[in-house]
Amino acid sequence: MPHWILAAAANSDSNPFQSVLDFFQSPTWHFITLMFYFLLVVLWIACAYWVFKDARRRVDDKIILAVCVLTGIVFGPLGLIVYTIVRPPELLAERREQELEMQMMEQRLGEESRCSFCKTPVRDDYLVCPTCGRRLRTTCASCGKPIEPSWRVCPYCETDVHGALPPVSAYDRA
Ligand SMILES: [Zn+2]
Ligand SMILES: [Zn+2]
């Protein structure tokens, strides 16, 4: 039996509140309060650390990040609750991925080929512009597929198309 209970029993005759007073002066009570403060400090540090870890993944700005961490350190669990309410909803990695996707989409739109004369969007396999009739591509003499003016070899049949279109390719003759 802890000694404060024994003490309480011994002193119960003289003062009914003595046992209570004794308890609050006992080492047990000291230990309980110490543990309570210790747990509070641990909880505080854990909250601040969690806010720091989470904010680092969501906040790009160093000043805002510092404010978040300070909120966690100063207000502990309360700061954590406030932080979770006002924190940015998406992670930095997610945001970067979205931005990259947007960039790629814009690039694809920019790369869409257009008629050099009337700027009508044209498909890769058009031979002439459907709007102004300007010639966009020639055809391969060997396989008849559309060919870009800059190409040296037909990618479909390996025919050499550099310069004037030869009726029979050098590869075919070899
Ligand atoms: Zn055109
Ligand atoms: Zn060809």
Side-chain angles (χ1 to χ4, degrees):
M1 221 194 283
H3 82 279
W4 58 270
I5 294 176
L6 291 171
N11 290 325
S12 55
D13 305 332
S14 50
N15 185 352
F17 297 109
Q18 192 61 46
S19 57
V20 181
L21 287 172
D22 282 348
F23 173 67
F24 284 117
Q25 278 158 8
S26 68
T28 312
W29 177 247
H30 260 290
F31 181 70
I32 289 169
T33 42
L34 245 154
M35 281 305 288
F36 175 75
Y37 284 130
F38 176 72
L39 285 175
L40 197 70
V41 168
V42 169
L43 181 76
W44 214 268
I45 292 170
C47 287
Y49 181 65
W50 189 87
V51 168
F52 165 69
K53 262 190 79 176
D54 193 79
R56 212 175 39 174
R57 290 165 65 210
R58 291 170 195 274
V59 180
D60 216 1
D61 195 289
K62 279 202 172 69
I63 296 168
I64 297 174
L65 179 66
V67 169
C68 292
V69 173
L70 265 176
T71 309
I73 290 169
V74 174
F75 298 104
L78 195 74
L80 187 142
I81 292 165
V82 172
Y83 166 76
T84 45
I85 291 168
V86 300
R87 70 178 178 180
E90 55 186 3
L91 297 175
L92 280 177
E94 283 171 9
R95 209 184 310 163
R96 281 201 197 105
E97 206 171 285
Q98 277 175 4
E99 275 169 14
L100 208 74
E101 223 164 88
M102 285 285 288
Q103 265 181 13
M104 275 171 71
M105 257 173 67
E106 276 169 17
Q107 222 169 22
R108 237 174 284 151
L109 282 174
E111 270 173 12
E112 190 188 44
S113 45
R114 288 167 182 276
C115 167
S116 59
F117 188 67
C118 69
K119 305 297 173 201
T120 304
V122 288
R123 270 172 45 180
D124 289 343
D125 55 349
Y126 284 0
L127 296 179
V128 291
C129 170
T131 309
C132 69
R134 194 185 177 88
R135 179 153 286 279
L136 302 167
R137 281 170 198 87
T138 52
T139 50
C140 170
S142 174
C143 68
K145 295 241 169 69
I147 283 184
E148 297 278 348
S150 57
W151 290 353
R152 285 189 60 227
V153 178
C154 170
Y156 306 105
C157 69
E158 296 183 34
T159 303
D160 193 346
V161 291
H162 186 53
L165 294 170
V168 185
S169 86
Y171 298 98
D172 287 346
R173 267 182 267 133

